[in-house]
């Protein structure tokens, strides 16, 4: 049996998959032909290859058995003294993947489209040196791990105060980071805890409402959230109006529009654990507006008529915490830090119990 481990607990969209365990085996070599000195063909190899628009979830859905076996080498015969090589097999994978062994040793990286990593070599064909007996191909389990850029990704419209929030949470000025496996250059803030644990938060420039209609603009602003463990939604408690021509949106509408943007970008991303930060609590009437938002979030279906039909998300986000803050005065920032820590720690506990389950299942199936 080949077992794998999933990251996310929500089942809204079919889960977001950030790592996958696969069984790979090179093809066996072909038989040699002793009386004529004929050599069997080598078995086919198994490669992992970075392809455009691939996700780990697609691999999981397309190859439910998660087994990839190279073709067998051809036997040597009177007609063809040199047996044919077995067919190579390619496992399609996304860019930005680390290929590791079961015990975490890195086999190779896929940083650009077309990068290839050999994961299981085919066996040798029988020849004079092996008394014409072929060898079996390599067989092993490997893991494909999505490379992350940060623990959390910020999601919010430009006016929500994301950059001031990132600065308020960070121990130092957030820095622009660059990576080998992506053109993204997000701002990364680091949150330091009294026990010296550090948590990183990534931000890209703000989403613009209707970005997804505007030739993939949403893709530009949401790419970072695929490579984070959890999401941090940020809204202005008093709502916003992006431009004089666009309608005014309440905080509740902002939450639903952000959910819709995520869904349209990639549905499974919207199943990641999320925290909602309600910013600008220093503004007048903020408390009343917060109470109204909390009420609306309890029964989002009742209030969805506030939104145009094409902006209503298929599934409403459920947040682990709703945290009111003021990035300007510092109100609620410490509480937010502890909610973030708690949410990540819970996820890590869940994940390690999943891994333990998986190991037990493997032991039982041997």
């Amino acid at each position: 049996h080949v077992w794998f481990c999933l990251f996310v607990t929500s089942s809204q969209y079919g889960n977001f998959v950030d790592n996958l365990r696969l069984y790979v085996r090179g093809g066996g070599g072909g038989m040699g032909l002793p009386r004529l000195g004929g050599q069997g063909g080598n078995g086919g190899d198994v490669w992992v290859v970075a392809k455009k628009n691939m996700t780990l979830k697609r691999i999981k859905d397309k190859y439910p058995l998660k087994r990839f076996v190279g073709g067998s080498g051809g036997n040597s015969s009177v007609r063809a003294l040199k047996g044919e090589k077995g067919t190579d097999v390619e496992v399609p994978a996304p860019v930005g993947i680390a290929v590791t062994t079961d015990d975490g040793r890195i086999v190779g990286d896929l940083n650009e489209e077309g990068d290839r990593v050999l994961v299981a070599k085919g066996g040798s064909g029988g020849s004079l040196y092996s008394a014409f007996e072929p060898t079996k191909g390599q067989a092993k389990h490997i893991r494909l791990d999505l490379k992350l850029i940060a623990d959390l990704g910020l999601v919010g419209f430009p006016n929500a105060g994301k950059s001031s929030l990132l600065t308020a949470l960070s121990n130092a000025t957030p820095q622009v980071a660059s990576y080998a496996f992506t053109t993204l250059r997000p701002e990364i803030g680091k949150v330091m805890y009294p026990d010296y644990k550090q948590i990183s938060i990534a931000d890209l420039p703000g989403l613009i409402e209707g970005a997804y209609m505007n030739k993939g603009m949403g893709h530009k602003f949401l790419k970072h959230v695929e490579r984070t463990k959890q999401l941090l939604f940020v809204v202005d408690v008093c709502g916003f109006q992006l431009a004089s021509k666009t309608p005014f949106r309440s905080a509740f509408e902002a939450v639903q529009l952000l959910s819709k943007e995520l869904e349209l970008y990639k549905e499974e991303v919207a199943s990641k654990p999320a925290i909602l930060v309600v910013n600008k609590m220093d503004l007048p009437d903020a408390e009343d507006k917060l109470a109204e938002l909390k009420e609306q979030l309890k029964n989002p279906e009742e209030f969805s008529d506030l939104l145009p039909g094409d902006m209503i998300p298929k599934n409403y986000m459920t947040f682990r915490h709703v945290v009111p803050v003021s990035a300007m005065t510092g109100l609620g920032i410490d509480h937010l830090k502890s909610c973030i820590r708690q949410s990540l720690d819970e996820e890590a506990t869940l994940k390690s119990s999943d891994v333990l389950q998986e190991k037990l299942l493997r032991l039982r199936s041997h």
Side-chain angles (χ1 to χ4, degrees):
H1 293 284
V2 182
W3 303 94
F4 60 96
C5 156
L6 279 180
F7 195 124
V8 178
T9 48
S10 153
S11 58
Q12 290 172 313
Y13 299 98
N15 293 321
F16 184 80
V17 182
D18 77 340
N19 75 70
L20 213 48
R21 185 169 184 261
L22 310 174
Y23 174 77
V24 291
R25 190 177 80 222
M31 296 290 289
L33 190 62
R35 63 193 171 91
L36 295 176
Q39 191 172 346
N42 292 337
D45 304 325
V46 182
W47 296 79
V48 178
V49 184
K51 303 268 191 198
K52 203 176 179 176
N53 299 329
M54 200 61 197
T55 66
L56 291 178
K57 186 172 188 308
R58 282 198 191 128
I59 304 175
K60 179 181 162 261
D61 293 344
K62 193 173 175 186
Y63 306 100
L65 294 174
K66 295 180 292 297
R67 289 174 68 87
F68 298 87
V69 179
S72 302
N75 294 333
S76 170
S77 66
V78 177
R79 281 201 209 96
L81 274 185
K82 184 149 178 46
E84 275 190 24
K85 184 183 183 322
T87 318
D88 286 354
V89 166
E90 291 189 349
V91 182
V95 172
I97 287 284
V99 183
T100 64
T101 57
D102 241 358
D103 53 7
R105 197 170 43 78
I106 291 202
V107 180
D109 292 297
L110 304 176
N111 288 330
E112 290 176 36
E113 202 183 323
D115 281 0
R116 304 163 64 80
V117 176
L118 178 63
V119 288
K121 205 164 168 36
S124 304
S127 69
L128 182 62
Y129 305 105
S130 65
F132 299 97
E133 286 296 319
T135 59
K136 288 180 175 173
Q138 291 177 330
K140 60 181 90 157
H141 284 97
I142 58 163
R143 283 183 185 275
L144 306 182
D145 286 304
L146 192 67
K147 295 182 179 190
L148 297 182
I149 57 174
D151 296 305
L152 292 109
L154 286 177
V155 181
F157 290 116
N159 69 307
K162 287 190 303 162
S163 56
S164 48
L165 178 69
L166 196 59
T167 304
L169 283 167
S170 301
N171 283 55
T173 314
Q175 299 291 316
V176 173
S178 55
Y179 306 87
F181 56 88
T182 171
T183 52
L184 292 180
R185 292 176 58 78
E187 271 210 316
I188 303 284
K190 295 265 196 320
V191 185
M192 178 78 88
Y193 289 85
D195 62 356
Y196 300 107
K197 179 163 172 76
Q198 255 193 2
I199 283 171
S200 53
I201 302 177
D203 181 34
L204 281 179
L207 256 178
I208 296 156
E209 184 180 327
Y212 56 88
M213 297 172 189
N214 188 358
K215 301 192 184 73
M217 288 296 273
H219 287 215
K220 206 164 148 186
F221 298 126
L222 289 170
K223 270 188 169 157
H224 67 309
V225 295
E226 259 191 284
R227 297 190 179 274
T228 60
K229 296 176 188 172
Q230 302 196 359
L231 309 176
L232 206 55
F233 273 53
V234 189
V235 296
D236 177 335
V237 67
C238 292
F240 70 100
Q241 187 172 12
L242 280 178
S244 53
K245 290 178 186 157
T246 57
F248 175 81
R249 301 285 184 205
S250 69
F252 172 75
E253 289 172 290
V255 170
Q256 305 316 332
L257 288 170
L258 290 170
S259 306
K260 185 66 178 176
E261 294 275 6
L262 274 176
E263 263 182 11
L264 288 160
Y265 171 56
K266 265 187 195 156
E267 273 194 4
E268 64 261 33
V269 171
S271 69
K272 290 189 179 203
I275 293 171
L276 175 60
V277 181
V278 186
N279 194 11
K280 306 196 184 177
M281 287 302 293
D282 49 283
L283 294 176
D285 301 332
E287 287 298 337
D288 294 346
K289 295 262 176 20
L290 175 67
E292 186 184 356
L293 171 63
K294 284 183 166 171
E295 199 52 46
Q296 290 169 319
L297 288 172
K298 275 184 201 156
N299 304 296
E301 293 84 358
E302 285 179 31
F303 299 96
S304 58
D305 56 356
L306 301 168
L307 290 163
D310 62 348
M311 291 187 179
I312 297 171
K314 278 195 231 171
N315 291 277
Y316 294 102
M317 296 285 294
T318 47
F319 296 100
R320 292 185 165 194
H321 304 274
V322 176
V323 190
V325 305
S326 164
M328 199 173 87
T329 67
L331 169 90
I333 293 294
D334 283 340
H335 178 52
L336 174 58
K337 285 183 182 178
S338 59
C339 289
I340 288 171
R341 176 78 185 262
Q342 187 189 336
S343 185
L344 284 166
D345 286 351
E346 279 169 11
E347 204 57 43
T349 309
L350 266 173
K351 195 170 184 184
S352 53
S353 73
D354 279 356
V355 171
L356 194 63
Q357 284 301 112
E358 179 194 338
K359 281 184 178 161
L360 288 171
L361 286 166
R362 287 213 304 272
L363 286 170
R364 284 188 196 136
S365 64
H366 282 318

